Amino acid sequence: MIENDHIEIDLLLEAIYRKYGYDFRNYAYSSIKRRIFHFIENESFKSISDLQGALLKNESVMEKLLLTFSINVTQMFRNPQFYTIFRKLAQELFSNMPIIRIWHAGCSTGEEVYSMAILLTELGIYDKCRLYATDINEKVIKKAQSRIFPLSQMKMYTQNYLDAGGEKSFSEYYTARYKGALFNADLAKNMIFSVHNLVTDKSFNEFHVVICRNVFIYFNSDLQNKVIDNLFYGSLMSGGLLGLGDKESLHLSNSTEHFKVLDKQLRWFQKK
Amino acid sequence: MKHKYKMVIIGGSAGSLSILKTFFFKLNPSFPLPIVIITHTMPDNGQRSKEPPIIQHFTSLPVIEPSDKEEILPAHVYVAPANYHLLFDQGLIVLSADPPEMYNRPSINVAFESAADEFGDELFAILLTGANSDGAKGLSSIKQKGGHCIVQDPEDAEFPDMPRAAIKLVKDIDDVLPANSIVQRLNSMIIG
Ligand SMILES: C[S@@+](CC[C@H](N)C(=O)[O-])C[C@H]1O[C@@H](n2cnc3c(N)ncnc32)[C@H](O)[C@@H]1O
């Protein structure tokens, strides 16, 4: 038997989609339910249908709910060993290639992209790399382009950088400005930022590497499989690498046969 | 004894690791249900939790730190990874990096509430020692859906706050038992 809550949440997500075009219908149900109930409590709505009524009439309610739905938390060199492995793989696979295209899907405020640029610079191959960084949320893309990250985080990022096998002094990559750390313009020279929705938008290039970390945990398994089997599989060249988040895996995807597991713990896969 | 349960979920905080060791040492190795464990593991810079290998020493059931959307299998033990909430959806474990709840991630309340939704009266829940009040609200949801709730006897608990908070909030807890008797209850499920 399907719960009443489940029916009401499905209807709410359908209403959001029809009215505003945001498609959360295949996001992970249990997590989205939790966030909706949080929102109802914090904003003092009486019920899901009460929220739905307000949402349809008032766009500002939708904007607030969007903030609840979008989790943009990220770090530089998040899970440092992920980068250590990539450093090795890149040396093996890319040293003789003329150009390397890397797609950071769901890049949030860009910390991951700058980490990659630093790593590639230290490998001496950044000049031939292009980093395409996309996210559904325009605000985080703007922030990523500013090259400024909170100064308060630099201690943790320095440690992450060292754990990831960084070879220099991390502070060489930025200058302190008020409360921000402004990263060197050189790092951003081969980055291309744009808004892209993994659920509704198509592929836009053929890539040597696709990195999509901590985005799939917000999707349900059908949606995750659809994105991997169609979008990512279609966007990778054969032998290309796919990197996922710390707790994400391919085990439900049809593509398990099409990908070789390079490192199960650190979530690196290779298109066969 | 025939029973209707589909899953056992265990919540615990301070003091619970040593309880869990004995618990799995004494648990019948042919225990057939999946067991999911939520403890307040110390975040250790995104690395693996230390619990699964420790617990694995004491049982022949496979002990797993699940990935997102991992299928829940019979006779497997799942330990919630540090820094993620653990929820359930259609036979899968779903992880979430939403903000901590009452400073906890994983939060026992979050996991219990989601398990109550998923398993209803086919859930067998256990709350152990701990120095905060996480788990009480979750047990209350489990009770509302008809699940079976056992709380470790505060007298038997190294840190009695967590069991006490649950006993205070949830009036109709099924059993309040010392840790030893809780394992016996599980073992008795498979006899007969
Ligand atoms: C938790 S952040 C991950 C950031 C970074 N990849 C990391 O691992 O640190 C998740 C990001 O996914 C984005 N996102 C969510 N749904 C999306 C979609 N359908 N298409 C593209 N990006 C999406 C969010 O806006 C958010 O910035």
Side-chain angles (χ1 to χ4, degrees):
Chain A
M1 195 193 69
I2 182 158
E3 279 191 318
N4 288 346
D5 283 348
H6 207 322
I7 298 173
E8 288 197 61
I9 286 173
D10 285 351
L11 292 173
L12 177 80
L13 298 178
E14 186 66 33
I16 292 173
Y17 179 62
R18 304 250 303 256
K19 176 84 187 189
Y20 299 105
Y22 296 110
D23 192 354
F24 294 109
R25 294 173 300 174
N26 288 308
Y27 276 49
Y29 173 74
S30 9
S31 315
I32 214 145
K33 173 178 173 184
R34 234 189 110 237
R35 286 189 221 136
I36 290 170
F37 276 108
H38 261 279
F39 189 76
I40 286 177
E41 200 174 308
N42 294 342
E43 304 288 320
S44 310
F45 288 104
K46 288 196 272 306
S47 61
I48 304 175
S49 42
D50 184 27
L51 166 63
Q52 178 170 323
L55 236 158
L56 289 174
K57 279 188 223 100
N58 192 342
E59 190 167 355
S60 70
V61 177
M62 182 67 235
E63 278 165 18
K64 264 196 191 155
L65 184 62
L66 264 189
L67 290 180
T68 311
F69 279 177
S70 70
I71 308 285
N72 302 120
V73 186
T74 183
Q75 283 176 22
M76 290 189 83
F77 293 99
R78 186 178 191 169
N79 304 114
Q81 284 82 352
F82 177 87
Y83 291 90
T84 319
I85 299 280
F86 181 76
R87 198 181 275 262
K88 280 203 210 103
L89 292 170
Q91 277 166 328
E92 278 168 34
L93 301 170
F94 300 143
S95 32
N96 296 323
M97 287 198 179
I99 185 149
I100 303 149
R101 282 185 298 275
I102 301 178
W103 178 14
H104 290 268
C107 66
S108 190
T109 38
E111 282 80 343
E112 187 181 88
V113 194
Y114 288 83
S115 310
M116 184 55 86
I118 289 173
L119 187 158
L120 296 166
T121 304
E122 294 188 1
L123 284 178
I125 57 175
Y126 187 47
D127 282 340
K128 58 179 187 174
C129 293
R130 299 292 173 271
L131 306 186
Y132 296 78
T134 65
D135 199 282
I136 189 177
N137 180 335
E138 191 178 352
K139 282 203 190 105
V140 294
I141 291 287
K142 288 244 163 68
K143 215 157 159 210
Q145 285 171 304
S146 76
R147 287 189 279 124
I148 300 172
F149 300 117
L151 202 51
S152 57
Q153 300 280 31
M154 289 307 132
K155 194 165 163 232
M156 185 220 284
Y157 293 172
T158 304
Q159 190 56 53
N160 284 357
Y161 164 78
L162 294 172
D163 292 346
E167 289 163 354
K168 295 196 179 165
S169 152
F170 189 59
S171 56
E172 284 177 29
Y173 293 106
Y174 64 86
T175 36
R177 293 271 171 95
Y178 306 104
K179 287 183 175 153
L182 175 69
F183 277 72
N184 302 346
D186 262 2
L187 290 174
K189 69 179 179 197
N190 293 341
M191 294 179 188
I192 301 117
F193 289 95
S194 89
V195 173
H196 179 280
N197 184 340
L198 293 168
V199 182
T200 47
D201 293 335
K202 297 213 161 49
S203 174
F204 52 93
N205 214 324
E206 200 179 23
F207 298 95
H208 302 77
V209 183
V210 173
I211 293 174
C212 182
R213 304 170 76 202
N214 306 298
V215 181
F216 286 141
I217 60 170
Y218 302 101
F219 293 4
N220 72 19
S221 43
D222 289 344
L223 183 57
Q224 169 172 343
N225 291 344
K226 202 180 108 193
V227 174
I228 291 175
D229 294 344
N230 302 334
L231 188 60
F232 286 171
Y233 188 74
S235 304
L236 274 169
M237 38 187 71
S238 111
L241 303 178
L242 174 64
L244 298 181
D246 183 37
K247 291 288 177 289
E248 295 165 335
S249 84
L250 290 181
H251 54 232
L252 290 170
S253 146
N254 297 331
S255 290
T256 12
E257 317 148 25
H258 305 305
F259 285 96
K260 197 167 113 192
V261 179
L262 297 180
D263 194 310
K264 191 164 182 267
Q265 296 296 345
L266 299 167
R267 320 285 164 173
W268 276 109
F269 307 87
Q270 182 173 38
K271 180 171 168 175
K272 287 181 188 164
Chain B
M1 184 182 75
K2 265 226 159 277
H3 68 85
K4 58 181 177 181
Y5 302 108
K6 293 256 168 72
M7 190 178 85
V8 175
I9 190 163
I10 304 176
S13 190
S16 63
L17 185 57
S18 70
I19 303 273
L20 288 169
K21 290 186 201 168
T22 340
F23 194 95
F24 280 95
F25 181 63
K26 293 188 176 163
L27 184 71
N28 190 320
S30 51
F31 190 76
L33 300 180
I35 302 177
V36 174
I37 301 171
I38 319 290
T39 60
H40 298 143
T41 346
M42 277 298 137
D44 51 358
N45 197 16
Q47 308 303 303
R48 329 249 94 221
S49 318
K50 60 181 189 311
E51 269 92 347
I54 297 178
I55 294 175
Q56 186 69 81
H57 278 303
F58 296 87
T59 176
S60 55
L61 298 168
V63 180
I64 292 167
E65 188 185 285
S67 295
D68 181 47
K69 305 193 181 78
E70 181 130 355
E71 198 181 347
I72 305 169
L73 300 172
H76 281 61
V77 181
Y78 301 92
V79 183
N83 276 319
Y84 291 85
H85 292 300
L86 186 151
L87 302 97
F88 303 89
D89 194 16
Q90 299 179 51
L92 304 178
I93 286 174
V94 175
L95 301 178
S96 147
D98 281 6
E101 191 113 325
M102 300 196 315
Y103 307 104
N104 297 314
R105 193 175 60 192
S107 143
I108 301 172
N109 282 334
V110 169
F112 278 14
E113 280 165 15
S114 177
D117 276 357
E118 173 87 2
F119 294 93
D121 64 357
E122 297 171 332
L123 183 67
F124 196 99
I126 299 167
L127 190 69
L128 300 174
T129 161
N132 53 55
S133 63
D134 194 12
K137 269 175 66 194
L139 270 191
S140 157
S141 310
I142 293 175
K143 220 39 263 181
Q144 273 169 34
K145 302 259 162 116
H148 192 89
C149 294
I150 299 187
V151 172
Q152 185 180 8
D153 187 343
E155 299 289 319
D156 178 61
E158 192 179 344
F159 296 87
D161 291 6
M162 211 156 89
R164 266 200 198 120
I167 293 167
K168 197 164 155 222
L169 184 77
V170 191
K171 297 291 166 241
D172 45 355
I173 286 174
D174 297 275
D175 293 296
V176 176
L177 297 172
N180 267 331
S181 318
I182 301 178
V183 200
Q184 282 165 18
R185 279 297 312 276
L186 290 182
N187 284 337
S188 73
M189 272 194 209
I190 46 176
I191 307 165

